[in-house]
Amino acid sequence: MDSQTSQSSQAFPSPHTFQVDLRGLVDLLSHHLYSSPRVYLRELLQNAVDAVTARRERDPGAPATVRLYADGAGGLRIEDSGVGLTEPDVHSLLATIGRSSKRAEGLQEARSGFLGQFGIGLLACFVVAERVRVVSRSALDPNAAPVEWTARDDGSYTVRTLPASARTEPGTTVHLVARAGAAEWLSPERVRALARDFGSLLPYDVRVGEEVVTDLPAPWDRAWPSPAERRAGLARHCHELFGFTPLDSISLDVPLAGVRGVAYVLPSAVSPAQRATHRVHLKGMLLTERAEQLLPDWAFFVRCVLDTDSLRPTASREALYEDETLAAVREALGERVRGWLTGLAAGDPERLSAFLAVHHLGVKSLARHDAEMLRIMLPWLPFETTDGRLSLEEFAQRHPVVHFTRTVEEYRQVAAIASAQGIGVINGGYTYDSELVEALPSVRPGTVVAELDPDTVTAHLDTVDPAEELALSGFLAAARAKLDPLGCDVVLRAFHPLSVPALHLDDRAARHEQARAEAEEQADELWAGILGSLRGSAPRARLVLNHLNPLIRRIGSLGDAELIGTATESLYGQALLMARRPLRPADTALLNRAFIGLLEWATHGEDGK
């Protein structure tokens, strides 16, 4: 038996208890878990509010007060009329890190109303304090004596019972003594500001000295005399909170998700890539001012402030835990914003127009994934077109075929010419625009949508009389030879406006082939062979000369082949500049060469006189 016992003890060694270095743990809290020492006051308020909540679960008529007093000399005390602690509670809850008061006997039924953990909350105080003293008297055991727990930041603590006269009423008082360099966090001004920030929506009577901290009901829950006054009141609240006056406010009341609050519409445009951050309260206590992922990505044009009792905080209680509940809340809040837009479209077009003038990009982002929203917004969403700035609905009513380009460069190439020929074109080069144009038939049956390409534009330009084009064959041949190394053809057409001498047309396939050819020229033998095998039959770019333009007629009558080449290069460069296309090094060199060539020709003519 002894041998078996010895073998058993070797197989199952005795367990040991972790030893916690409190100084190291405080350093971990202050530098990694919490974003700022300011959270110490939130933790103190959470403990006090939880204690009051626990007592009122047993005795709904019990007082519900929290008082904070900063002495201005690095000391702070916070008193609550909560459930209090007995000596066994102190050993269980304060000396064991991570142990929650929710688990204390008799408090289990109240845990849904708690905000934090008592032990962790006091531990966070060591971020700013070198000594923490807790004096408490239990409301659950009237015969229990008051108890005092005193701890230092070196990890040591003492517990002792006090005379009954030390605290006559149930509740808890926490005393803090600032650590070196942290006294500013316990100053009366800072305590007052932090208490207002964290505790303005708490359901109990919270005061710093005699100043009331709580401000209930919340602005979005108040009974305003009229919608206009509600809007004005919420605008003031937004300005105080976020520093801007909103375009409008959106109610975020979602009872099933335990969420109430308001979304404020930003008065100026923001990038869709910019992360929107929101202000979230948990059961009245400010949780974070930088909550992300609270709304769908498309709703980047609003900032929210809300109170919730259903969302889970992370360990630091400074962010929200990403889970199914948060996903459901995000979807519900997105529906509220979508409903607000729908309501504006149906009953307040003036406010909708003011909103879209600033945030049309956000609505376009929503509409591309939401056919119903696209249908509702058709008469309102602005697009750049050859007919001016119009909605898709207006443009489709004017043109049997809705042509669009996928890039801004392509639109600039053809806008003036297409407009003169009666071709309606939408600039789809801006964010989301081409996707929305392509989705148009799904919400407007019968609409024909087509991407505009060079062939379509060229087909709408008038051909030149064959005899006149034959007479210019020599000029055209010289021009084609000059531009052939640049991968550009030359064609002759007649079109309006007369002031445009030449039009440069290409598409993405032509640009891709051009880029491939340039890479092949610069590559070594191996890569040149690989790139050569990728050569496609993509159409080449075109320089379309306007036969109606007087300058083209004069250039066409030139007999000097060198001068024709210089003139052709000049027309090509001018057409590129008119299209606002990025210039390649070869294009820049061509422009310089053509400019110098024309100067030489002009000065040569002067010398000849």
mmCIF file of all heavy atoms in Angstrom, residues 2-22:
data_model
loop_
_atom_site.group_PDB
_atom_site.id
_atom_site.type_symbol
_atom_site.label_atom_id
_atom_site.label_comp_id
_atom_site.label_asym_id
_atom_site.label_seq_id
_atom_site.Cartn_x
_atom_site.Cartn_y
_atom_site.Cartn_z
ATOM 1 N N ASP A 2 1.931 1.238 0.814
ATOM 2 C CA ASP A 2 2.793 2.402 0.880
ATOM 3 C C ASP A 2 3.437 2.679 -0.463
ATOM 4 O O ASP A 2 3.586 3.823 -0.885
ATOM 5 C CB ASP A 2 3.881 2.189 1.941
ATOM 6 C CG ASP A 2 3.302 2.196 3.346
ATOM 7 O OD1 ASP A 2 2.155 2.692 3.497
ATOM 8 O OD2 ASP A 2 3.991 1.724 4.240
ATOM 9 N N SER A 3 3.815 1.554 -1.137
ATOM 10 C CA SER A 3 4.440 1.705 -2.465
ATOM 11 C C SER A 3 3.455 2.284 -3.454
ATOM 12 O O SER A 3 3.778 3.164 -4.257
ATOM 13 C CB SER A 3 4.951 0.333 -2.940
ATOM 14 O OG SER A 3 5.423 0.446 -4.266
ATOM 15 N N GLN A 4 2.203 1.783 -3.400
ATOM 16 C CA GLN A 4 1.170 2.298 -4.308
ATOM 17 C C GLN A 4 0.891 3.767 -4.034
ATOM 18 O O GLN A 4 0.718 4.573 -4.947
ATOM 19 C CB GLN A 4 -0.117 1.478 -4.150
ATOM 20 C CG GLN A 4 0.029 0.056 -4.685
ATOM 21 C CD GLN A 4 -1.245 -0.749 -4.454
ATOM 22 O OE1 GLN A 4 -2.140 -0.290 -3.736
ATOM 23 N NE2 GLN A 4 -1.312 -1.928 -5.027
ATOM 24 N N THR A 5 0.850 4.113 -2.742
ATOM 25 C CA THR A 5 0.594 5.514 -2.389
ATOM 26 C C THR A 5 1.706 6.410 -2.908
ATOM 27 O O THR A 5 1.475 7.504 -3.420
ATOM 28 C CB THR A 5 0.486 5.657 -0.866
ATOM 29 O OG1 THR A 5 -0.544 4.827 -0.394
ATOM 30 C CG2 THR A 5 0.221 7.104 -0.476
ATOM 31 N N SER A 6 2.950 5.924 -2.769
ATOM 32 C CA SER A 6 4.087 6.715 -3.252
ATOM 33 C C SER A 6 4.025 6.911 -4.751
ATOM 34 O O SER A 6 4.257 8.005 -5.273
ATOM 35 C CB SER A 6 5.388 5.995 -2.855
ATOM 36 O OG SER A 6 6.492 6.672 -3.409
ATOM 37 N N GLN A 7 3.668 5.819 -5.486
ATOM 38 C CA GLN A 7 3.564 5.926 -6.944
ATOM 39 C C GLN A 7 2.449 6.889 -7.326
ATOM 40 O O GLN A 7 2.583 7.688 -8.266
ATOM 41 C CB GLN A 7 3.299 4.536 -7.545
ATOM 42 C CG GLN A 7 4.506 3.613 -7.429
ATOM 43 C CD GLN A 7 4.195 2.220 -7.948
ATOM 44 O OE1 GLN A 7 3.070 1.936 -8.348
ATOM 45 N NE2 GLN A 7 5.192 1.336 -7.912
ATOM 46 N N SER A 8 1.324 6.814 -6.572
ATOM 47 C CA SER A 8 0.192 7.705 -6.872
ATOM 48 C C SER A 8 0.582 9.161 -6.672
ATOM 49 O O SER A 8 0.236 10.035 -7.439
ATOM 50 C CB SER A 8 -0.996 7.336 -5.978
ATOM 51 O OG SER A 8 -2.026 8.273 -6.143
ATOM 52 N N SER A 9 1.325 9.428 -5.596
ATOM 53 C CA SER A 9 1.700 10.803 -5.330
ATOM 54 C C SER A 9 2.659 11.330 -6.377
ATOM 55 O O SER A 9 2.642 12.504 -6.698
ATOM 56 C CB SER A 9 2.265 10.861 -3.930
ATOM 57 O OG SER A 9 3.548 11.124 -3.876
ATOM 58 N N GLN A 10 3.512 10.428 -6.953
ATOM 59 C CA GLN A 10 4.404 10.871 -8.019
ATOM 60 C C GLN A 10 3.633 11.142 -9.296
ATOM 61 O O GLN A 10 3.953 12.044 -10.068
ATOM 62 C CB GLN A 10 5.478 9.797 -8.273
ATOM 63 C CG GLN A 10 6.471 9.691 -7.120
ATOM 64 C CD GLN A 10 7.467 8.568 -7.339
ATOM 65 O OE1 GLN A 10 7.409 7.892 -8.355
ATOM 66 N NE2 GLN A 10 8.359 8.370 -6.378
ATOM 67 N N ALA A 11 2.577 10.344 -9.535
ATOM 68 C CA ALA A 11 1.774 10.531 -10.754
ATOM 69 C C ALA A 11 0.916 11.776 -10.660
ATOM 70 O O ALA A 11 0.633 12.426 -11.658
ATOM 71 C CB ALA A 11 0.891 9.300 -10.972
ATOM 72 N N PHE A 12 0.472 12.090 -9.453
ATOM 73 C CA PHE A 12 -0.389 13.263 -9.250
ATOM 74 C C PHE A 12 0.251 14.192 -8.220
ATOM 75 O O PHE A 12 -0.084 14.135 -7.037
ATOM 76 C CB PHE A 12 -1.791 12.840 -8.788
ATOM 77 C CG PHE A 12 -2.482 11.925 -9.760
ATOM 78 C CD1 PHE A 12 -2.501 10.565 -9.543
ATOM 79 C CD2 PHE A 12 -3.093 12.433 -10.906
ATOM 80 C CE1 PHE A 12 -3.117 9.716 -10.452
ATOM 81 C CE2 PHE A 12 -3.715 11.589 -11.799
ATOM 82 C CZ PHE A 12 -3.731 10.225 -11.581
ATOM 83 N N PRO A 13 1.185 15.041 -8.638
ATOM 84 C CA PRO A 13 1.860 15.924 -7.690
ATOM 85 C C PRO A 13 0.891 16.935 -7.094
ATOM 86 O O PRO A 13 -0.139 17.257 -7.679
ATOM 87 C CB PRO A 13 2.920 16.625 -8.542
ATOM 88 C CG PRO A 13 2.404 16.513 -9.944
ATOM 89 C CD PRO A 13 1.660 15.232 -10.014
ATOM 90 N N SER A 14 1.225 17.444 -5.935
ATOM 91 C CA SER A 14 0.374 18.409 -5.242
ATOM 92 C C SER A 14 0.295 19.705 -6.035
ATOM 93 O O SER A 14 1.302 20.183 -6.570
ATOM 94 C CB SER A 14 0.936 18.699 -3.850
ATOM 95 O OG SER A 14 0.992 17.518 -3.092
ATOM 96 N N PRO A 15 -0.904 20.311 -6.146
ATOM 97 C CA PRO A 15 -1.043 21.576 -6.875
ATOM 98 C C PRO A 15 -0.443 22.724 -6.090
ATOM 99 O O PRO A 15 -0.327 22.675 -4.865
ATOM 100 C CB PRO A 15 -2.559 21.738 -7.016
ATOM 101 C CG PRO A 15 -3.114 21.002 -5.832
ATOM 102 C CD PRO A 15 -2.189 19.844 -5.608
ATOM 103 N N HIS A 16 -0.040 23.762 -6.815
ATOM 104 C CA HIS A 16 0.489 24.975 -6.207
ATOM 105 C C HIS A 16 -0.391 26.155 -6.592
ATOM 106 O O HIS A 16 -1.083 26.119 -7.612
ATOM 107 C CB HIS A 16 1.927 25.229 -6.668
ATOM 108 C CG HIS A 16 2.884 24.150 -6.263
ATOM 109 N ND1 HIS A 16 3.452 24.078 -5.006
ATOM 110 C CD2 HIS A 16 3.352 23.065 -6.946
ATOM 111 C CE1 HIS A 16 4.243 23.014 -4.930
ATOM 112 N NE2 HIS A 16 4.192 22.376 -6.108
ATOM 113 N N THR A 17 -0.354 27.195 -5.816
ATOM 114 C CA THR A 17 -1.155 28.393 -6.078
ATOM 115 C C THR A 17 -0.300 29.449 -6.756
ATOM 116 O O THR A 17 0.842 29.684 -6.354
ATOM 117 C CB THR A 17 -1.714 28.969 -4.768
ATOM 118 O OG1 THR A 17 -2.495 27.964 -4.122
ATOM 119 C CG2 THR A 17 -2.586 30.194 -5.052
ATOM 120 N N PHE A 18 -0.847 30.086 -7.799
ATOM 121 C CA PHE A 18 -0.138 31.167 -8.473
ATOM 122 C C PHE A 18 0.134 32.305 -7.501
ATOM 123 O O PHE A 18 -0.724 32.682 -6.698
ATOM 124 C CB PHE A 18 -0.962 31.721 -9.641
ATOM 125 C CG PHE A 18 -0.891 30.868 -10.880
ATOM 126 C CD1 PHE A 18 -1.983 30.108 -11.263
ATOM 127 C CD2 PHE A 18 0.250 30.838 -11.661
ATOM 128 C CE1 PHE A 18 -1.936 29.322 -12.398
ATOM 129 C CE2 PHE A 18 0.300 30.055 -12.798
ATOM 130 C CZ PHE A 18 -0.781 29.296 -13.174
ATOM 131 N N GLN A 19 1.311 32.881 -7.599
ATOM 132 C CA GLN A 19 1.635 34.068 -6.826
ATOM 133 C C GLN A 19 1.544 35.277 -7.764
ATOM 134 O O GLN A 19 2.147 35.272 -8.831
ATOM 135 C CB GLN A 19 3.055 33.967 -6.250
ATOM 136 C CG GLN A 19 3.232 32.789 -5.305
ATOM 137 C CD GLN A 19 2.309 32.886 -4.091
ATOM 138 O OE1 GLN A 19 2.227 33.944 -3.460
ATOM 139 N NE2 GLN A 19 1.618 31.798 -3.769
ATOM 140 N N VAL A 20 0.785 36.273 -7.382
ATOM 141 C CA VAL A 20 0.542 37.420 -8.245
ATOM 142 C C VAL A 20 1.399 38.607 -7.799
ATOM 143 O O VAL A 20 1.380 38.976 -6.620
ATOM 144 C CB VAL A 20 -0.948 37.830 -8.232
ATOM 145 C CG1 VAL A 20 -1.164 39.089 -9.063
ATOM 146 C CG2 VAL A 20 -1.792 36.689 -8.755
ATOM 147 N N ASP A 21 2.191 39.145 -8.699
ATOM 148 C CA ASP A 21 2.958 40.363 -8.446
ATOM 149 C C ASP A 21 2.035 41.546 -8.726
ATOM 150 O O ASP A 21 1.758 41.868 -9.886
ATOM 151 C CB ASP A 21 4.178 40.398 -9.360
ATOM 152 C CG ASP A 21 4.988 41.685 -9.203
ATOM 153 O OD1 ASP A 21 4.624 42.513 -8.342
ATOM 154 O OD2 ASP A 21 5.965 41.867 -9.946
ATOM 155 N N LEU A 22 1.518 42.188 -7.680
ATOM 156 C CA LEU A 22 0.529 43.242 -7.865
ATOM 157 C C LEU A 22 1.099 44.420 -8.648
ATOM 158 O O LEU A 22 0.430 45.004 -9.491
ATOM 159 C CB LEU A 22 -0.006 43.711 -6.510
ATOM 160 C CG LEU A 22 -1.171 44.704 -6.574
ATOM 161 C CD1 LEU A 22 -2.338 44.121 -7.333
ATOM 162 C CD2 LEU A 22 -1.594 45.111 -5.175
#
